[in-house]
Amino acid sequence: MSNFQAFFDYIQEISGKLLSEDDKHLLMAHFRPKKLRKRQYFLQEGDVCKYIGFVIKGSARTFTVDEKGNEHILKLSLENWWLADFESFYLLTPSRFNIEALEDLELLQATNAQIEEFLKNIPAFSKMASVISQNYTIANQKRMQAAMNYTAEERYEDLINNYPHFLKRFPQNMIASYLGLSRETLSRIRKNSFK
Amino acid sequence: MSNFQAFFDYIQEISGKLLSEDDKHLLMAHFRPKKLRKRQYFLQEGDVCKYIGFVIKGSARTFTVDEKGNEHILKLSLENWWLADFESFYLLTPSRFNIEALEDLELLQATNAQIEEFLKNIPAFSKMASVISQNYTIANQKRMQAAMNYTAEERYEDLINNYPHFLKRFPQNMIASYLGLSRETLSRIRKNSFK
DNA sequence: TGATGACTGTGACCTAAATCACAAACATCA
DNA sequence: TGATGTTTGTGATTTAGGTCACAGTCATCA
């Protein structure tokens, strides 16, 4: 199935290792394709995040709703990103987050128990997992620093430099929320920044 | 050596697995004890973070200095925490961070190549690494959300709830910087919050 | 085609937190 | 013991960014 080809390519590229035919069959036997239409939820607040999803096509946002009803986007995800509330996924606690498709979404999903199997039995998969874990740690470190110490403008410039494609794929109000800004402030920053 | 006992206990507790005598000898052969006096640096901005340190005793802060000369604390570390700029440690790039002992510090340190060996050869060690990586991911997720969406008061309350011992071990100006606040603001929050 | 809902821009105003400045409390060490 | 550095408190002032309100633009779909 062509869905899986992109996934296999991704694993091999990130890990620098090849998947055997057996590896591929094991992955295909357990990762389940899933489609969501725009606005559908992959995860709802209060539910346990039973599945982790790998984005084949489309985009999604991970967000919370505060007591005043304001939404705060924690993560925006595109092709080749993993989708989960890791706290809930690892600990099986009810999630504080919602994950919603922003465009029609094609995923491959699996449970934590299945992931553990892949880690044990597929060297390329477990190498990929440790590389990703490193990348996440690095990205988190950077983003924390930006969130705490940078001004609104600096955070926006950072986004332009690091994730320029976000600007093409996501509307401004989503970007603003992701940066921890009001949409009005982002609009003004954009006005001032060029020209 | 008694330094190592605490370290072995830690690995066994986190991983839920026992270390064999061989495992222990391997760790003792490669993890090097290191002492730093208060104010000494474990890592200086611009240097590559060659070593990861495990804190046996004492405390440290990881911070940056911005163009105006202001310091921003990204991480405060105590006993049984790992000390490193992971970006620099994994990628061998020059670090943007400084790591400085806040109290006299006893560490066990190792290089990335040595860590890779332990991961390969010591099951308890690699299980510990994956548990820690999960915990980091969860903690980062929470802290990001707090940094972006919470007010100064809420962030301080969060700290009281999650890391009450920080208040005993670190001076207020360090706590303020860690929370991304000015020391004046933290002082006022404390004044208002009780009584 | 027009109508409804989503997204963006812009002004007026407000507020949380930073900055500046000075003083008090506390530690450390010769 | 006093002297010097470190940490904390508190007032006055400033500022980045939020909030509110309304208008304009754009897309979608019947």
Short mmCIF file of all heavy atoms in Angstrom, two decimals, chain B residues 70 151-153 180-185 188, chain C residues 16-23 27-29:
data_model
loop_
_atom_site.label_atom_id
_atom_site.label_comp_id
_atom_site.label_asym_id
_atom_site.label_seq_id
_atom_site.Cartn_x
_atom_site.Cartn_y
_atom_site.Cartn_z
N ASN B 70 21.71 40.32 30.19
CA ASN B 70 20.84 39.67 31.18
C ASN B 70 20.96 38.16 31.11
O ASN B 70 21.00 37.59 30.02
CB ASN B 70 19.37 40.04 30.94
CG ASN B 70 19.14 41.52 31.07
OD1 ASN B 70 19.69 42.17 31.97
ND2 ASN B 70 18.37 42.09 30.17
N THR B 151 -0.02 32.85 33.75
CA THR B 151 0.47 34.12 34.29
C THR B 151 1.63 33.85 35.24
O THR B 151 1.89 32.70 35.61
CB THR B 151 -0.63 34.83 35.08
OG1 THR B 151 -0.94 34.02 36.22
CG2 THR B 151 -1.88 35.05 34.26
N ALA B 152 2.30 34.93 35.63
CA ALA B 152 3.43 34.82 36.56
C ALA B 152 3.01 34.08 37.84
O ALA B 152 3.69 33.15 38.27
CB ALA B 152 3.94 36.21 36.89
N GLU B 153 1.88 34.45 38.41
CA GLU B 153 1.40 33.80 39.63
C GLU B 153 1.20 32.31 39.42
O GLU B 153 1.60 31.48 40.24
CB GLU B 153 0.04 34.37 40.09
CG GLU B 153 0.10 35.63 40.89
CD GLU B 153 -0.09 36.82 39.97
OE1 GLU B 153 0.39 36.76 38.80
OE2 GLU B 153 -0.69 37.81 40.40
N GLY B 180 11.18 32.87 34.30
CA GLY B 180 11.07 33.89 33.26
C GLY B 180 10.48 35.19 33.77
O GLY B 180 9.78 35.90 33.06
N LEU B 181 10.76 35.51 35.04
CA LEU B 181 10.24 36.72 35.68
C LEU B 181 11.39 37.60 36.15
O LEU B 181 12.50 37.11 36.34
CB LEU B 181 9.43 36.35 36.93
CG LEU B 181 8.25 35.43 36.77
CD1 LEU B 181 7.67 35.13 38.14
CD2 LEU B 181 7.22 36.09 35.88
N SER B 182 11.11 38.88 36.41
CA SER B 182 12.09 39.71 37.09
C SER B 182 12.03 39.37 38.58
O SER B 182 11.01 38.93 39.08
CB SER B 182 11.78 41.19 36.87
OG SER B 182 10.61 41.53 37.57
N ARG B 183 13.14 39.58 39.28
CA ARG B 183 13.16 39.26 40.71
C ARG B 183 12.17 40.12 41.48
O ARG B 183 11.56 39.69 42.46
CB ARG B 183 14.57 39.42 41.28
CG ARG B 183 15.19 40.74 41.00
CD ARG B 183 16.53 40.98 41.65
NE ARG B 183 16.77 42.42 41.74
CZ ARG B 183 16.26 43.20 42.65
NH1 ARG B 183 15.50 42.71 43.61
NH2 ARG B 183 16.50 44.51 42.63
N GLU B 184 11.95 41.36 41.00
CA GLU B 184 10.98 42.24 41.65
C GLU B 184 9.57 41.67 41.58
O GLU B 184 8.83 41.67 42.56
CB GLU B 184 10.99 43.64 41.01
CG GLU B 184 12.27 44.42 41.21
CD GLU B 184 13.22 44.25 40.04
OE1 GLU B 184 13.18 43.18 39.39
OE2 GLU B 184 14.00 45.19 39.78
N THR B 185 9.21 41.20 40.39
CA THR B 185 7.87 40.63 40.22
C THR B 185 7.67 39.43 41.14
O THR B 185 6.63 39.32 41.80
CB THR B 185 7.65 40.22 38.76
OG1 THR B 185 7.71 41.40 37.94
CG2 THR B 185 6.29 39.57 38.56
N ARG B 188 7.04 40.49 44.66
CA ARG B 188 5.66 41.00 44.86
C ARG B 188 4.64 39.88 44.87
O ARG B 188 3.69 39.90 45.66
CB ARG B 188 5.33 42.02 43.76
CG ARG B 188 6.09 43.30 43.95
CD ARG B 188 5.82 44.36 42.90
NE ARG B 188 6.66 45.53 43.18
CZ ARG B 188 7.64 45.95 42.40
NH1 ARG B 188 7.90 45.37 41.25
NH2 ARG B 188 8.35 47.01 42.77
P DA C 16 -3.80 42.71 35.41
OP1 DA C 16 -5.00 41.89 35.57
OP2 DA C 16 -3.38 43.68 36.45
"O5'" DA C 16 -2.57 41.75 35.10
"C5'" DA C 16 -2.51 41.06 33.86
"C4'" DA C 16 -1.08 40.90 33.47
"O4'" DA C 16 -0.55 42.17 32.98
"C3'" DA C 16 -0.15 40.45 34.58
"O3'" DA C 16 0.71 39.48 34.02
"C2'" DA C 16 0.59 41.74 34.99
"C1'" DA C 16 0.61 42.54 33.70
N9 DA C 16 0.51 44.00 33.85
C8 DA C 16 -0.26 44.69 34.75
N7 DA C 16 -0.18 46.00 34.61
C5 DA C 16 0.68 46.17 33.53
C6 DA C 16 1.17 47.32 32.88
N6 DA C 16 0.85 48.57 33.22
N1 DA C 16 2.02 47.14 31.84
C2 DA C 16 2.33 45.89 31.48
N3 DA C 16 1.95 44.73 32.02
C4 DA C 16 1.11 44.95 33.05
P DA C 17 1.69 38.61 34.92
OP1 DA C 17 1.77 37.27 34.30
OP2 DA C 17 1.29 38.76 36.34
"O5'" DA C 17 3.08 39.35 34.71
"C5'" DA C 17 3.54 39.56 33.37
"C4'" DA C 17 4.62 40.60 33.37
"O4'" DA C 17 4.06 41.91 33.56
"C3'" DA C 17 5.71 40.44 34.43
"O3'" DA C 17 6.93 40.24 33.74
"C2'" DA C 17 5.65 41.74 35.22
"C1'" DA C 17 5.03 42.70 34.21
N9 DA C 17 4.37 43.87 34.78
C8 DA C 17 3.50 43.92 35.83
N7 DA C 17 3.08 45.14 36.11
C5 DA C 17 3.74 45.93 35.17
C6 DA C 17 3.71 47.32 34.94
N6 DA C 17 3.00 48.19 35.66
N1 DA C 17 4.47 47.81 33.93
C2 DA C 17 5.20 46.94 33.21
N3 DA C 17 5.30 45.61 33.34
C4 DA C 17 4.53 45.17 34.35
P DA C 18 8.39 40.31 34.32
OP1 DA C 18 9.13 39.23 33.67
OP2 DA C 18 8.35 40.45 35.79
"O5'" DA C 18 8.92 41.68 33.68
"C5'" DA C 18 8.90 41.83 32.27
"C4'" DA C 18 9.60 43.11 31.88
"O4'" DA C 18 8.84 44.24 32.35
"C3'" DA C 18 11.00 43.27 32.47
"O3'" DA C 18 11.85 43.83 31.47
"C2'" DA C 18 10.80 44.19 33.66
"C1'" DA C 18 9.60 45.03 33.24
N9 DA C 18 8.73 45.38 34.36
C8 DA C 18 8.12 44.52 35.22
N7 DA C 18 7.37 45.11 36.12
C5 DA C 18 7.48 46.46 35.82
C6 DA C 18 6.93 47.62 36.41
N6 DA C 18 6.11 47.59 37.46
N1 DA C 18 7.25 48.81 35.87
C2 DA C 18 8.08 48.83 34.80
N3 DA C 18 8.66 47.81 34.16
C4 DA C 18 8.31 46.64 34.74
P DT C 19 13.38 44.11 31.79
OP1 DT C 19 14.06 44.09 30.49
OP2 DT C 19 13.80 43.24 32.91
"O5'" DT C 19 13.39 45.60 32.33
"C5'" DT C 19 12.89 46.66 31.52
"C4'" DT C 19 13.04 47.95 32.29
"O4'" DT C 19 12.07 47.99 33.36
"C3'" DT C 19 14.41 48.15 32.95
"O3'" DT C 19 14.90 49.41 32.51
"C2'" DT C 19 14.12 48.12 34.46
"C1'" DT C 19 12.67 48.60 34.48
N1 DT C 19 11.84 48.20 35.65
C2 DT C 19 11.15 49.18 36.32
O2 DT C 19 11.23 50.37 36.03
N3 DT C 19 10.38 48.73 37.37
C4 DT C 19 10.23 47.42 37.78
O4 DT C 19 9.50 47.15 38.73
C5 DT C 19 10.96 46.44 37.03
C7 DT C 19 10.85 45.00 37.40
C6 DT C 19 11.72 46.87 36.00
P DC C 20 16.41 49.86 32.83
OP1 DC C 20 16.84 50.63 31.64
OP2 DC C 20 17.19 48.70 33.29
"O5'" DC C 20 16.24 50.87 34.05
"C5'" DC C 20 15.25 51.89 33.95
"C4'" DC C 20 15.15 52.65 35.25
"O4'" DC C 20 14.25 51.97 36.15
"C3'" DC C 20 16.47 52.82 36.02
"O3'" DC C 20 16.56 54.16 36.45
"C2'" DC C 20 16.33 51.84 37.18
"C1'" DC C 20 14.82 51.95 37.44
N1 DC C 20 14.22 50.82 38.18
C2 DC C 20 13.26 51.10 39.16
O2 DC C 20 12.95 52.27 39.39
N3 DC C 20 12.70 50.07 39.83
C4 DC C 20 13.06 48.82 39.56
N4 DC C 20 12.46 47.85 40.25
C5 DC C 20 14.03 48.52 38.56
C6 DC C 20 14.59 49.54 37.89
P DA C 21 17.95 54.76 37.05
OP1 DA C 21 18.16 56.02 36.32
OP2 DA C 21 18.99 53.71 37.06
"O5'" DA C 21 17.59 55.08 38.56
"C5'" DA C 21 16.26 55.42 38.94
"C4'" DA C 21 16.15 55.35 40.45
"O4'" DA C 21 15.49 54.11 40.81
"C3'" DA C 21 17.49 55.35 41.20
"O3'" DA C 21 17.39 56.18 42.33
"C2'" DA C 21 17.69 53.90 41.55
"C1'" DA C 21 16.24 53.50 41.83
N9 DA C 21 15.98 52.07 41.80
C8 DA C 21 16.61 51.10 41.04
N7 DA C 21 16.16 49.89 41.25
C5 DA C 21 15.18 50.06 42.22
C6 DA C 21 14.34 49.14 42.87
N6 DA C 21 14.35 47.83 42.63
N1 DA C 21 13.49 49.63 43.79
C2 DA C 21 13.48 50.95 44.03
N3 DA C 21 14.23 51.90 43.48
C4 DA C 21 15.06 51.38 42.57
P DC C 22 18.72 56.66 43.11
OP1 DC C 22 18.67 58.14 43.11
OP2 DC C 22 19.90 55.92 42.61
"O5'" DC C 22 18.44 56.17 44.59
"C5'" DC C 22 17.16 56.42 45.20
"C4'" DC C 22 16.91 55.36 46.23
"O4'" DC C 22 16.71 54.08 45.59
"C3'" DC C 22 18.07 55.16 47.23
"O3'" DC C 22 17.58 55.35 48.53
"C2'" DC C 22 18.50 53.72 46.97
"C1'" DC C 22 17.18 53.12 46.49
N1 DC C 22 17.30 51.80 45.82
C2 DC C 22 16.44 50.77 46.21
O2 DC C 22 15.59 51.00 47.09
N3 DC C 22 16.55 49.55 45.64
C4 DC C 22 17.47 49.35 44.70
N4 DC C 22 17.54 48.14 44.16
C5 DC C 22 18.35 50.39 44.28
C6 DC C 22 18.24 51.58 44.86
P DA C 23 18.57 55.49 49.77
OP1 DA C 23 18.55 56.92 50.17
OP2 DA C 23 19.85 54.82 49.47
"O5'" DA C 23 17.82 54.65 50.88
"C5'" DA C 23 16.43 54.33 50.75
"C4'" DA C 23 16.17 52.99 51.40
"O4'" DA C 23 16.38 51.93 50.43
"C3'" DA C 23 17.12 52.69 52.57
"O3'" DA C 23 16.36 52.09 53.61
"C2'" DA C 23 18.10 51.69 51.98
"C1'" DA C 23 17.19 50.93 51.03
N9 DA C 23 17.85 50.21 49.95
C8 DA C 23 18.85 50.63 49.11
N7 DA C 23 19.24 49.74 48.24
C5 DA C 23 18.45 48.64 48.53
C6 DA C 23 18.38 47.35 47.96
N6 DA C 23 19.14 46.96 46.94
N1 DA C 23 17.48 46.49 48.48
C2 DA C 23 16.72 46.89 49.50
N3 DA C 23 16.69 48.07 50.12
C4 DA C 23 17.59 48.91 49.57
P DA C 27 21.72 34.92 56.78
OP1 DA C 27 20.89 33.74 56.90
OP2 DA C 27 22.39 35.46 58.00
"O5'" DA C 27 22.78 34.62 55.65
"C5'" DA C 27 23.56 35.66 55.20
"C4'" DA C 27 24.57 35.18 54.22
"O4'" DA C 27 25.33 36.32 53.81
"C3'" DA C 27 25.60 34.22 54.82
"O3'" DA C 27 26.23 33.55 53.73
"C2'" DA C 27 26.52 35.20 55.55
"C1'" DA C 27 26.50 36.43 54.62
N9 DA C 27 26.43 37.74 55.29
C8 DA C 27 25.67 38.10 56.38
N7 DA C 27 25.83 39.36 56.74
C5 DA C 27 26.75 39.85 55.80
C6 DA C 27 27.34 41.11 55.62
N6 DA C 27 27.07 42.17 56.40
N1 DA C 27 28.22 41.26 54.61
C2 DA C 27 28.48 40.22 53.82
N3 DA C 27 27.99 38.98 53.88
C4 DA C 27 27.13 38.86 54.92
P DT C 28 27.30 32.37 54.05
OP1 DT C 28 27.18 31.39 52.96
OP2 DT C 28 27.21 31.96 55.46
"O5'" DT C 28 28.66 33.18 53.84
"C5'" DT C 28 28.79 34.00 52.68
"C4'" DT C 28 30.18 34.61 52.64
"O4'" DT C 28 30.15 35.90 53.32
"C3'" DT C 28 31.25 33.77 53.34
"O3'" DT C 28 32.42 33.83 52.54
"C2'" DT C 28 31.43 34.47 54.69
"C1'" DT C 28 31.15 35.93 54.33
N1 DT C 28 30.60 36.81 55.41
C2 DT C 28 30.92 38.15 55.38
O2 DT C 28 31.65 38.64 54.55
N3 DT C 28 30.35 38.89 56.39
C4 DT C 28 29.52 38.44 57.40
O4 DT C 28 29.07 39.20 58.23
C5 DT C 28 29.23 37.02 57.36
C7 DT C 28 28.33 36.43 58.41
C6 DT C 28 29.77 36.28 56.38
P DC C 29 33.54 32.71 52.66
OP1 DC C 29 33.52 31.87 51.45
OP2 DC C 29 33.47 32.09 54.00
"O5'" DC C 29 34.84 33.64 52.62
"C5'" DC C 29 34.71 35.02 52.25
"C4'" DC C 29 35.64 35.88 53.09
"O4'" DC C 29 34.89 36.61 54.10
"C3'" DC C 29 36.70 35.09 53.88
"O3'" DC C 29 37.91 35.85 53.84
"C2'" DC C 29 36.13 35.06 55.29
"C1'" DC C 29 35.56 36.48 55.33
N1 DC C 29 34.59 36.75 56.44
C2 DC C 29 34.33 38.09 56.80
O2 DC C 29 34.91 39.00 56.21
N3 DC C 29 33.46 38.33 57.81
C4 DC C 29 32.86 37.31 58.43
N4 DC C 29 31.99 37.61 59.39
C5 DC C 29 33.11 35.95 58.07
C6 DC C 29 33.97 35.72 57.08
#
